[in-house]
Amino acid sequence: MVRVPFVYQRTIRFQDTDAAGVVYFANGLSLCHEAYEASLEASGIPLNTFFGKSDLAFPIVHASIDFLRPLSCGDRVEIHLTPSQTSASQFEIAYCVYLAAALEKPVILATTRHVGIDAKARSRHNLPPFMVNWVAQWGTPGKIPG
Amino acid sequence: MVRVPFVYQRTIRFQDTDAAGVVYFANGLSLCHEAYEASLEASGIPLNTFFGKSDLAFPIVHASIDFLRPLSCGDRVEIHLTPSQTSASQFEIAYCVYLAAALEKPVILATTRHVGIDAKARSRHNLPPFMVNWVAQWGTPGKIPG
Amino acid sequence: MVRVPFVYQRTIRFQDTDAAGVVYFANGLSLCHEAYEASLEASGIPLNTFFGKSDLAFPIVHASIDFLRPLSCGDRVEIHLTPSQTSASQFEIAYCVYLAAALEKPVILATTRHVGIDAKARSRHNLPPFMVNWVAQWGTPGKIPG
Amino acid sequence: MVRVPFVYQRTIRFQDTDAAGVVYFANGLSLCHEAYEASLEASGIPLNTFFGKSDLAFPIVHASIDFLRPLSCGDRVEIHLTPSQTSASQFEIAYCVYLAAALEKPVILATTRHVGIDAKARSRHNLPPFMVNWVAQWGTPGKIPG
C-alpha cells in the first residue's frame, strides 16, 4: 500500500512578506501550521473546538525550519505534511513546501513537535483515539510505535 | 446586465485568532486584502510585480472595518469585493465578509481607499489602463466616473 | 487643568513591514492596539485577565485608519491615545501616530470603537468602574457623558 | 573579561496570542527577531537600510525554537541574545527568553542561522566588517573563528 501525504495548496500573500520582498521567516512556520489545520479538518476534526476550547490540547514544544530558497507574493505553493507518533503522548509533523510549478525540489523543510496535555492541569496526556487515527490516516506507517 | 462581485473563499486560521478566541480585529482587514489580491490575480495581474517591484503603486490611504459578529478558527467565510474608481488617481473597495453557511447577512463590512502613485517620486499618478479594467471587471458600473 | 494624552513609544519592526518596504496597512491598527494595551497597564489593569479571561469583554466593533505617510523599519514612533466614553456601554479611542523626530505632524490617524459585553452571553453590559476610571484618566473631559 | 549578552525587553501583546490564550508558536521566533533588530540598532546599524535596501543581505536559512512554558498577554520578557560567526559568510544567534520576574530559567530557547549574500545576485558573500564587529560586540569570544 502506498500512502499519499496530505497536500495543502496556498498562494503567498502580501501580508506574508517583509521589506526584503520575500516571506518573513517566521511566517514560513505559519504556512506549515495552516497545512496542519487543513489536515485536521480533512479528518473531520472541528477546528474551533480543537484549538482552545477542548479538555485536551497539543501545544508545540519544538519547531524548526530550513529555507532552501525565498518565496514571493503570488507564489503558489504546495505543502506536503507527514505526521508520526513519537511516544504515547507526543507526535511530530514533517513539512515539505514546494512551488506548485516545481514539485521536484522543496523550498522549505520544517518540523513541529506536539505534546498532548490536559489543558487545565497542563500535565501530559496520552494522544486520544482521534489523534492516533489522524496520524494513521496521513502518517508514515513505520514510524508509528507499537 | 447583472454584475457579480468577486468572491474569495477562505477558512479562518488559528493564526488569525487572539486570546479572546476570535479573529484579532486588524486581521479582519488582512482577510479583505487577500480578497483584493485574489481579484487582481483573477484579472491576470502578476502579484509579485504589482506589490513592491513596479513603477506604480497603489498604497492604502484609508481603511475602515465594522464587525457585526466575531469569527472563530475553522469558520469558512466568503468575501465579496466591489471596487469603484473615485477619481482619476484613486479607487475604493467595499468588502462584505459572510459565513459561507449564512450568506444572507454579513459578519464584517470593510472599505479600503487606494491612491495611484509613482513609486519612486511618491507623487500622485492616474490609474493605468490595467487598473481601470480591473475596476470595470469587478466594480459597480454606476460608480465609475465618466 | 491640562490633560496629557497617554503616549506609547515603539520602533517599527521588520515584521511590521511588507514587500512594498513599508508598514503593512493592517499593522497600523495593531500598533494602535499596543498603545491601548499599554494604557490599560499604566492604569493598573492586568492584561492577561482583561483579554480573554474575564466575565466582561470590550470587543472592537469599528475601526478606521488614515495614512498620511508611510512608515519604515527602524522608524521610532510615538502613539498618542485619547479615549472617550460615548454611551453607558461604549467607548472610543482616537490615536495619533507621530514620528518621534517630527511630533508636529501625525503620520497615522486612527480610531477604535469598543462595546462592553458580558463575555459569555455576548449581551451589552455597561462599562464597569475600572473602565470609566481608565477613560477619565486618559480621556478628554468634555467628551465623558454625564 | 566577562561579556554581557545583549538584552531586549518586551511585553507580550494581545496580537502575539492565539485562541489557545498563549503566544502563537511562530510569534516566538518574531520576538527573537525583534531582539536581533534591537541589537543591530544598539551597534549603530540603520535598520531601514539594513533590511531590504542594501547591497548585502543576511537572510535566515535555518531557525529552531523550543518552548519550555507558554507566554500570556501582558507577560514581561527579557530576551538574551548571543551571536557567533560560524564561517566567513555565516553567523548564528542563540536566544534565551525569560520572564522578567524569573530570570533563573528560560521559557523559550531559539536559534537563527544567517547567510551573507549579495542581494541582487543572491550569491554568498563574506560578512562585512560592520557585521563582524556586531558579532564581536555581543558574541561569545571563543566561538569566533580565527
Side-chain angles (χ1 to χ4, degrees):
Chain A
M1 184 187 133
V2 176
R3 269 173 208 251
V4 184
F6 182 78
V7 176
Y8 175 69
Q9 293 177 318
R10 169 75 144 73
T11 301
I12 300 300
R13 295 294 169 207
F14 193 39
Q15 188 190 11
D16 300 322
T17 62
D18 59 34
V22 297
V23 168
Y24 179 69
F25 84 112
N27 291 345
L29 284 168
S30 304
L31 287 177
C32 293
H33 199 276
E34 284 190 23
Y36 165 49
E37 295 172 44
S39 75
L40 293 168
E41 277 186 310
S43 297
I45 297 170
L47 295 189
N48 190 15
T49 312
F50 186 84
F51 287 108
K53 293 183 184 162
S54 174
D55 291 344
L56 296 181
F58 307 94
I60 292 170
V61 294
H62 174 79
S64 73
I65 186 161
D66 287 275
F67 293 92
L68 284 71
R69 51 145 286 177
L71 288 170
S72 300
C73 187
D75 281 347
R76 291 172 190 278
V77 296
E78 272 193 15
I79 306 176
H80 295 212
L81 168 162
T82 313
S84 55
Q85 192 173 343
T86 49
S87 82
S89 60
Q90 195 169 290
F91 64 91
E92 288 186 11
I93 309 173
Y95 309 87
C96 293
V97 183
Y98 300 90
L99 283 171
L103 291 174
E104 63 283 352
K105 210 184 150 198
V107 294
I108 291 176
L109 295 172
T111 58
T112 53
R113 188 184 309 143
H114 303 244
V115 172
I117 62 167
D118 177 302
K120 278 186 190 158
R122 295 203 79 86
S123 56
R124 284 224 175 203
H125 193 289
N126 283 0
L127 300 188
F130 73 87
M131 287 307 287
V132 173
N133 290 343
W134 169 81
V135 170
Q137 184 174 1
W138 306 115
T140 313
K143 284 190 184 168
I144 303 170
Chain B
M1 184 186 132
V2 176
R3 267 172 209 254
V4 183
F6 182 78
V7 176
Y8 176 69
Q9 293 177 318
R10 170 76 144 73
T11 301
I12 301 300
R13 294 294 168 206
F14 193 41
Q15 187 188 13
D16 301 319
T17 63
D18 59 33
V22 296
V23 167
Y24 179 69
F25 84 112
N27 291 346
L29 284 168
S30 305
L31 288 177
C32 293
H33 200 276
E34 284 191 22
Y36 166 49
E37 296 172 44
S39 75
L40 293 168
E41 277 187 310
S43 296
I45 298 169
L47 295 190
N48 190 16
T49 312
F50 186 85
F51 288 108
K53 292 183 184 163
S54 174
D55 291 343
L56 297 181
F58 307 93
I60 292 169
V61 293
H62 174 78
S64 73
I65 185 160
D66 287 276
F67 293 91
L68 285 71
R69 50 147 285 178
L71 288 170
S72 299
C73 187
D75 282 346
R76 291 171 190 279
V77 296
E78 274 195 13
I79 305 176
H80 295 214
L81 167 162
T82 313
S84 54
Q85 191 172 345
T86 49
S87 83
S89 61
Q90 197 169 288
F91 65 89
E92 288 186 10
I93 309 172
Y95 308 87
C96 294
V97 183
Y98 300 91
L99 282 171
L103 291 174
E104 64 283 353
K105 211 183 149 200
V107 294
I108 291 176
L109 296 172
T111 58
T112 53
R113 189 184 309 142
H114 304 243
V115 172
I117 63 168
D118 178 302
K120 277 185 189 158
R122 296 202 78 87
S123 56
R124 283 223 176 204
H125 195 288
N126 284 358
L127 300 188
F130 73 87
M131 286 307 286
V132 173
N133 291 342
W134 168 80
V135 171
Q137 185 173 0
W138 306 115
T140 312
K143 286 192 183 167
I144 303 171
Chain C
M1 184 187 132
V2 176
R3 269 172 207 253
V4 184
F6 182 78
V7 176
Y8 176 69
Q9 294 176 318
R10 171 77 143 70
T11 300
I12 301 300
R13 295 293 169 207
F14 193 40
Q15 188 190 10
D16 301 321
T17 63
D18 58 34
V22 296
V23 167
Y24 178 69
F25 84 113
N27 290 345
L29 284 169
S30 305
L31 287 177
C32 292
H33 199 277
E34 285 191 23
Y36 166 49
E37 296 171 44
S39 76
L40 292 168
E41 277 186 310
S43 296
I45 297 170
L47 296 188
N48 190 16
T49 312
F50 186 84
F51 288 107
K53 293 184 185 163
S54 175
D55 292 343
L56 297 180
F58 307 93
I60 291 170
V61 293
H62 174 77
S64 72
I65 186 161
D66 288 275
F67 293 91
L68 286 70
R69 48 146 287 176
L71 288 170
S72 300
C73 187
D75 281 347
R76 291 173 189 278
V77 296
E78 272 194 14
I79 306 176
H80 295 213
L81 168 162
T82 313
S84 54
Q85 192 174 344
T86 49
S87 83
S89 61
Q90 196 169 289
F91 64 91
E92 289 187 10
I93 309 173
Y95 309 87
C96 294
V97 183
Y98 302 90
L99 283 171
L103 291 174
E104 63 282 351
K105 212 185 148 196
V107 294
I108 292 176
L109 296 172
T111 58
T112 53
R113 189 184 309 144
H114 303 243
V115 172
I117 62 168
D118 177 303
K120 277 187 189 158
R122 295 202 79 88
S123 57
R124 283 223 177 205
H125 194 289
N126 283 359
L127 300 188
F130 73 86
M131 286 307 285
V132 173
N133 291 342
W134 169 80
V135 171
Q137 185 174 2
W138 306 114
T140 313
K143 285 192 185 166
I144 303 172
Chain D
M1 185 186 130
V2 176
R3 269 173 208 252
V4 183
F6 182 77
V7 176
Y8 176 68
Q9 293 176 319
R10 171 76 144 71
T11 300
I12 300 302
R13 294 294 169 206
F14 193 40
Q15 188 190 10
D16 300 321
T17 63
D18 59 34
V22 297
V23 168
Y24 179 69
F25 83 111
N27 291 345
L29 283 168
S30 304
L31 287 178
C32 292
H33 199 276
E34 284 191 23
Y36 165 50
E37 296 172 44
S39 76
L40 293 168
E41 277 186 309
S43 296
I45 298 170
L47 295 189
N48 190 15
T49 313
F50 186 83
F51 288 107
K53 294 183 183 162
S54 174
D55 291 344
L56 296 181
F58 308 93
I60 292 169
V61 294
H62 174 77
S64 72
I65 186 162
D66 288 275
F67 293 91
L68 285 70
R69 50 146 285 176
L71 287 170
S72 300
C73 187
D75 281 347
R76 291 171 189 280
V77 296
E78 273 195 13
I79 306 176
H80 294 212
L81 167 163
T82 312
S84 55
Q85 191 172 343
T86 49
S87 82
S89 61
Q90 194 168 292
F91 64 91
E92 287 187 10
I93 309 174
Y95 308 87
C96 294
V97 183
Y98 301 90
L99 283 171
L103 291 173
E104 63 283 353
K105 210 184 150 197
V107 293
I108 291 176
L109 296 173
T111 57
T112 54
R113 189 184 308 142
H114 304 243
V115 172
I117 62 167
D118 178 301
K120 278 185 190 158
R122 295 203 79 88
S123 57
R124 284 224 174 203
H125 194 289
N126 284 358
L127 299 187
F130 73 87
M131 286 307 287
V132 173
N133 290 342
W134 169 81
V135 170
Q137 186 173 0
W138 305 116
T140 313
K143 286 192 183 166
I144 304 170

